Amino acid sequence: MSTPSAAPAPEAPSLAVPSLAVPSLADATELSCDVLVVGGGTAGTMAALTAAERGANVLLLEKAHVRHSGALAMGMDGVNNAVVPGRAEPDDYVAEITRANDGLVDQSTVRQTATRGFAMVQRLESYGVKFEKDEHGEYAVRQVHRSGSYVLPMPEGKDVKKVLYRQLRRREMRERIRIENRVMPVRVLTHPDDGRAVGVAGFHTRTGEFVTVRAGAVILATGPCGRLGLPASGYLYGTYENPTNAGDGYAMAYHAGAALTGIECFQINPLIKDYNGPACAYVANPFGGYQVNRHGERFVESDYWSGQMMAEFATELASDRGPVYLKMSHLPEETIGAVESILHTTERPTRGTFHEGRGHDYRTHDVEMHISEIGLCGGHSASGVRVDAHARTTVPRLYAAGDLACVPHNYMIGAFVYGDLAGEDAAGYRAYEGELPADQVAAAHELVYRPLRNPEGPPQPQVEYKLRRFVNDYVAPPKTGAKLSLAVEAFTRMSDEIAGMGARTAHELMRCAEVSFIRDCAEMAARASLARTESRWGLYHERLDHPERDDQGWLHHLDLRKSPSGAMEFTARPVEPYVVPVAEFAPPAGPERPLGEVELVPVATAGPRDGAPTARRTAETEPGSVPASDTETGVPDVAGGCPAGASPSPAPRLRLLRLLALVEESPDLAALRPYLDDTDPAVRAAAVTALGETAPAGTGPELAARLGDADPRVRAAAAAALRELVEVLPAEPPLAAGLREALAVPDPAVRGAALDVLRALRLGDAALYAASLADTGVEVRIQAVRALVSVDAVEELAGAAADPAREVRVAVARGLAAVRTPAPKPLDPLLDDADPLVRGAALAALAGTGCPPEYAATAVAALADGAWQVRAGAATALRAAPPALAVPALAGALGDANADVRKAAVLSLLPHGAEPAARTELAGAADDPDADVRAYASRVSRVG
């Protein structure tokens, strides 16, 4: 008897993305305008508005969407360079920027921002942008730099781009401004006879269609090259600057024949460690924050945010006085609240989430700072396209504005000013009606679409990572001629690799084009750094082989341009005569000095090829130094491990590959066991991570067992996996037993993780947690306090009131108020604590435990304490005290000099609102000079 054959299984759908077809040149979309603006960020939107207001037909091209594009869309916390009449003078600002840039400034360009910036503030305000003002309606300009007050906060800075977009879409503007989103130019087209700009060629980043534009004038406003160096995180797009700023305009201006200048002067910024966003000292400093080393000492001598300041920062960071912090923990609550309201809602709104994820609070944690990757930026440094005081480049009818233009330290207001200047000057031209240069259009077409002809070629992320790793290795300061020469060789070699990149979609084409821009900028940065044989601008251009500043030979701009032969050539250009004298600098006059192409340092061999080995010229050759054979050979160390820098043997690599393949099959614990027990710690750590990803039966006890591994990588992976899986792990006895055993592991991170998981899974008891109060690790003891709160172990909690660490005692005070049946008595020792923060926390806890008369008396007395934190805590405590005791005392606290104490008094008076005396005091507080106090006092009408 035959059996019917089974129906054929349906084919699985293909996951391969069909490759985009290369469009024909003949099918290009052609556009025309009087003024073409490339980039819809800060400078671009202002350029478009101004040109349209002056009667030009404007086309605004943006490779993303104007509503959300540019650095401004990420949020802005304030204006760094507002020269507000009565608060600062333009000439003082020009002199300050000249000093900050070590004398290499075209003062006529800087003066445009100084003199036109205030009118721009008022123009933006008329659009709806909010700038902070005081009680009298005056601009609340803050002082950050020691020589002038230029910082103007923007409380609603997150909305600036929204406001600008609204202006672009006004009816009268829509008649003049055409916006084409998702169109990315790759080349400026120039007239073959006179070299003037006549348009651009590019493509649509969603459809892939080729686009050409005829224009009377072209304004480049594409932002800095922020995606140049590789961030410490290794993430391609985890940059300090907006990661879409890949140097598009730098490359387009260069290939159009424009001069660029200061490209050797890098942008390097302080940032929040691991967050890669600005620490925003510009916001914190006016509120009383400042930069300190780990001892709390201020160390910055530089008067202005500059390369010299960054050199001081880097020196401190590398010393035994590091890390470096932005100190705010000393500030009163109302100040920190104000800082948070700006930093967590405007520039980099994810900042608050980042700190929260780490359990950090500005009140108890200063912000650890670090140094950003390198980039090119005119507005925050001095590297950009050369422009004059009207934003004109050296190519006729080509303009540059914003961070792309070399107007040192121009910042946001400068970007608006130069967008305005460019739009005003360019508005006088009408659309180009001739034929676009066919050879240039064809070259742009090839640049865009060549990745489609090789879809299986190396993907953009791999090539870009390699390129930017070379930038970090060879171009980032401190610089040497040898490293810079290696960089040039690497970037030249990578031209072929970039040409071989593969792509299938229009989005991938955009990324591939960006890599070509980054490569151009990297080579410009390396060659320009080689050409300037001195050190200048502190960390921005520190040459170890030319460590001194040479004003005699190098107080000149260094311009670079593309020669007719396609080579990168340089010119030393004298500094224009100062319009504001600065005593420290006397730039020499004279003609430009052609330098030609830069000469590379020989790097193919280490010393002469036929030379004998020579002795090292360092202290290591002195008696008592470590022999080179002990440090530079492949001899294993005494522990028997691999020598530093050695690659793992083929066998561990093979086992790792097998493990990775196994993970795809959702293995059970038995299948993972050989890897969990592997002799190589890298394999064991990977196996633990795989266990956390797949979570087969028995995962919890197995992870707990791995907390005792001899290798810290394995222990860290196990702790991370346990915390990640805590919501899904069965609270079973074997897991509890493993976690209890982990409390004896010498690694405090392991002990803290074990307590955390025990608490979360309710697998511990008061005795177990109390034992950890004797742990040597502060964080472990804090976890123990949290765990004791979870089981309402008041007596054991109270036993930690004498902990030597203030952080633990503060946690105990808060914990005693968080148990299910709180009582004030256990707080007694904390109320007498020598530390004001602990006393303040204990007093505040009385609001939760209850504040009977004897404790109310303590709180009343504490209202006279010298520490504002204690007084605020005392006022908070009286919230729970009998009204007869609380109201008179709180009435007195409403006169406290500290606004946070007054705020606490108002919040405590509200629960007593039924008392006529309390309502009277609250009514009086409605006129308090502090907004928070007034706001809470106004709630009196809702109580009682």
Side-chain angles (χ1 to χ4, degrees):
M1 179 177 177
S2 63
T3 57
S5 60
E11 290 187 13
S14 173
L15 298 180
V17 178
S19 187
L20 189 72
V22 177
S24 168
L25 265 174
D27 295 332
T29 298
E30 296 186 0
L31 303 172
S32 178
C33 62
D34 297 332
V35 176
L36 171 62
V37 179
V38 181
T42 309
T45 52
M46 188 57 68
L49 288 168
T50 297
E53 287 171 357
R54 282 158 176 75
N57 289 320
V58 179
L59 174 60
L60 175 58
L61 300 184
E62 168 57 51
K63 67 181 178 181
H65 194 291
V66 173
R67 183 191 295 272
H68 306 295
S69 63
L72 192 61
M74 301 171 73
M76 190 62 59
D77 47 52
V79 175
N80 296 344
N81 55 343
V83 183
V84 175
R87 298 299 304 273
E89 294 297 326
D91 285 0
D92 292 338
Y93 177 78
V94 171
E96 191 59 34
I97 297 301
T98 303
R99 295 186 186 97
N101 210 50
D102 279 359
L104 285 182
V105 170
D106 178 352
Q107 287 190 345
S108 66
T109 63
V110 175
R111 204 166 195 282
Q112 288 283 52
T113 299
T115 57
R116 297 168 68 108
F118 181 61
M120 182 57 66
V121 167
Q122 293 178 310
R123 178 175 175 180
L124 292 170
E125 196 169 39
S126 73
Y127 290 167
V129 177
K130 294 181 176 62
F131 297 96
E132 186 173 337
K133 295 183 177 179
D134 63 18
E135 294 82 357
H136 303 288
E138 301 293 334
Y139 291 101
V141 182
R142 308 282 173 78
Q143 181 168 359
V144 172
H145 314 126
R146 295 188 176 118
S147 57
S149 300
Y150 307 115
V151 174
L152 181 56
M154 300 166 64
E156 303 296 329
K158 65 183 184 299
D159 295 329
V160 176
K161 193 62 191 294
K162 181 172 68 177
V163 171
L164 290 172
Y165 188 72
R166 186 168 64 232
Q167 288 299 310
L168 288 171
R169 306 315 295 153
R170 283 167 42 217
R171 178 179 300 175
E172 56 269 36
M173 288 294 104
R174 287 203 304 270
E175 295 174 354
R176 288 284 186 182
I177 301 174
R178 175 178 177 179
I179 298 174
E180 288 291 338
N181 292 307
R182 316 293 180 189
V183 175
M184 177 183 182
V186 296
R187 287 291 185 263
V188 173
L189 305 176
T190 58
H191 197 282
D193 294 336
D194 56 18
R196 73 182 187 274
V198 295
V200 300
F203 68 106
H204 196 286
T205 62
R206 289 288 175 85
T207 67
E209 65 184 301
F210 193 57
V211 178
T212 60
V213 182
R214 287 180 174 81
V218 178
I219 300 173
L220 295 177
T222 57
C225 182
R227 217 162 86 217
L228 183 62
L230 192 66
S233 66
Y235 295 128
L236 293 181
Y237 308 112
T239 52
Y240 178 92
E241 289 287 352
N242 185 334
T244 65
N245 296 140
D248 308 35
Y250 285 78
M252 285 191 283
Y254 171 73
H255 288 290
L260 292 92
T261 191
I263 302 302
E264 71 279 16
C265 179
F266 298 163
Q267 175 186 229
I268 306 172
N269 290 297
L271 47 69
I272 297 175
K273 177 75 164 59
D274 298 329
Y275 176 68
N276 239 68
C280 282
Y282 272 111
V283 174
N285 284 16
F287 284 95
Y290 45 86
Q291 294 71 51
V292 297
N293 59 29
R294 69 183 179 89
H295 303 299
E297 301 162 340
R298 283 187 272 210
F299 60 89
V300 175
E301 299 292 338
S302 177
D303 282 347
Y304 197 86
W305 208 274
S306 62
Q308 179 56 42
M309 192 217 73
M310 286 308 305
E312 296 171 8
F313 190 101
T315 298
E316 200 74 8
L317 190 65
S319 75
D320 65 350
R321 299 179 297 276
V324 168
Y325 297 88
L326 174 62
K327 186 169 185 60
M328 291 190 287
S329 59
H330 66 293
L331 299 175
E333 171 62 27
E334 70 274 15
T335 303
I336 289 183
V339 171
E340 284 179 332
S341 69
I342 297 171
L343 295 186
H344 296 179
T345 59
T346 55
E347 189 169 351
R348 307 296 203 280
T350 55
R351 180 191 317 266
T353 305
F354 170 81
H355 290 312
E356 182 181 358
R358 294 203 162 189
H360 290 178
D361 188 303
Y362 296 155
R363 297 153 188 79
T364 55
H365 293 74
D366 293 322
V367 179
E368 186 181 355
M369 301 172 71
H370 214 265
I371 291 177
S372 73
E373 70 284 353
I374 67 170
L376 303 179
C377 181
H380 291 76
S381 176
S383 45
V385 178
R386 177 181 165 186
V387 296
D388 65 10
H390 298 280
R392 304 170 187 139
T393 73
T394 57
V395 170
R397 303 195 186 187
L398 180 65
Y399 299 80
D403 284 340
L404 170 67
C406 182
V407 184
H409 301 280
N410 215 25
Y411 303 112
M412 184 187 75
I413 283 296
F416 279 130
V417 166
Y418 269 80
D420 179 50
L421 288 167
E424 179 180 354
D425 203 72
Y429 297 109
R430 292 298 167 257
Y432 173 67
E433 296 180 354
E435 288 297 317
L436 294 176
D439 57 338
Q440 296 178 38
V441 173
H445 186 275
E446 174 62 19
L447 172 65
V448 172
Y449 298 110
R450 66 190 178 189
L452 294 180
R453 299 189 178 96
N454 185 30
E456 302 302 327
Q460 163 263 334
Q462 292 182 11
V463 178
E464 182 176 336
Y465 182 91
K466 180 179 179 180
L467 171 66
R468 292 168 64 191
R469 182 172 60 81
F470 282 141
V471 171
N472 281 19
D473 290 346
Y474 298 133
V475 184
K479 310 173 187 178
T480 68
K483 288 199 299 181
L484 293 166
S485 298
L486 283 169
V488 171
E489 289 188 357
F491 303 146
T492 302
R493 184 174 65 246
M494 284 201 70
S495 294
D496 291 337
E497 296 180 45
I498 290 170
M501 284 187 298
R504 295 179 181 274
T505 68
H507 180 82
E508 290 173 348
L509 289 178
M510 176 183 71
R511 293 300 186 213
C512 288
E514 288 176 337
V515 175
S516 74
F517 299 151
I518 296 168
R519 196 221 67 84
D520 289 343
C521 289
E523 182 179 352
M524 286 190 275
R527 289 187 183 272
S529 295
L530 264 173
R532 183 176 286 279
T533 52
E534 66 155 359
S535 289
R536 189 174 291 268
W537 308 295
L539 190 64
Y540 296 166
H541 180 66
E542 179 186 358
R543 283 284 298 263
L544 294 179
D545 46 353
H546 297 282
E548 300 300 324
R549 195 177 83 188
D550 178 12
D551 282 352
Q552 186 67 32
W554 275 113
L555 192 53
H556 289 76
H557 299 285
L558 181 63
D559 291 357
L560 71 86
R561 57 170 51 84
K562 187 177 182 179
S563 72
S565 66
M568 195 175 292
E569 61 183 19
F570 292 88
T571 302
R573 174 171 53 92
V575 174
E576 296 77 4
Y578 289 163
V579 295
V580 178
V582 178
E584 296 94 320
F585 301 101
E592 293 187 356
R593 189 170 79 245
L595 303 176
E597 296 181 49
V598 69
E599 184 177 350
L600 303 186
V601 175
V603 290
T605 64
R609 293 182 61 187
D610 56 355
T614 58
R616 297 182 67 177
R617 294 173 296 170
T618 69
E620 295 179 27
T621 60
E622 298 297 322
S625 63
V626 179
S629 59
D630 289 347
T631 59
E632 297 176 6
T633 66
V635 178
D637 61 22
V638 293
C642 292
S647 300
S649 67
R653 284 203 301 268
L654 182 59
R655 296 198 296 276
L656 283 170
L657 290 172
R658 289 173 177 168
L659 172 61
L660 293 174
L662 180 64
V663 171
E664 298 300 317
E665 302 172 6
S666 298
D668 59 16
L669 186 56
L672 290 171
R673 179 77 63 190
Y675 301 97
L676 290 165
D677 294 331
D678 197 279
T679 56
D680 190 284
V683 177
R684 297 200 305 277
V688 168
T689 300
L691 187 61
E693 291 175 1
T694 56
T699 292
E702 188 66 33
L703 288 174
R706 301 299 159 179
L707 290 173
D709 194 279
D711 191 88
R713 290 171 292 179
V714 180
R715 298 196 301 270
L722 279 166
R723 280 178 156 140
E724 180 181 345
L725 297 173
V726 72
E727 299 296 335
V728 299
L729 291 176
E732 52 190 340
L735 174 56
L739 292 171
R740 287 171 181 257
E741 289 179 11
L743 294 176
V745 173
D747 187 341
V750 166
R751 301 195 300 274
L755 280 170
D756 196 19
V757 178
L758 282 166
R759 174 192 56 78
L761 293 177
R762 303 290 176 178
L763 290 174
D765 54 38
L768 177 71
Y769 300 148
S772 291
L773 290 174
D775 197 283
T776 57
V778 172
E779 291 299 321
V780 179
R781 301 201 300 276
I782 291 175
Q783 289 291 348
V785 168
R786 295 187 65 206
L788 287 168
V789 172
S790 72
V791 295
D792 297 309
V794 174
E795 183 177 348
E796 290 81 356
L797 268 176
D803 192 281
R806 181 179 72 188
E807 303 96 310
V808 177
R809 301 199 303 278
V810 169
V812 169
R814 293 170 178 166
L816 286 170
V819 295
R820 286 193 178 90
T821 56
K825 183 65 176 174
L827 290 168
D828 284 353
L830 298 169
L831 291 169
D832 292 327
D833 197 279
D835 192 291
L837 289 182
V838 177
R839 294 201 307 278
L843 284 161
L846 288 172
T849 64
C851 188
E854 60 272 28
Y855 289 92
T858 300
V860 171
L863 288 173
D865 196 281
W868 72 265
Q869 296 95 333
V870 174
R871 301 198 304 277
T876 301
L878 291 172
R879 185 181 311 172
L885 296 172
V887 174
L890 291 170
L894 290 176
D896 196 281
N898 186 285
D900 195 59
V901 177
R902 302 197 303 275
K903 175 181 173 181
V906 165
L907 289 171
S908 290
L909 278 168
L910 286 172
H912 300 298
E915 302 291 323
R919 298 176 72 85
T920 299
E921 297 299 336
L922 287 167
D927 293 326
D928 192 277
D930 182 78
D932 258 8
V933 175
R934 295 196 304 271
Y936 285 115
S938 66
R939 297 184 182 183
V940 65
S941 60
R942 308 177 202 170
V943 299

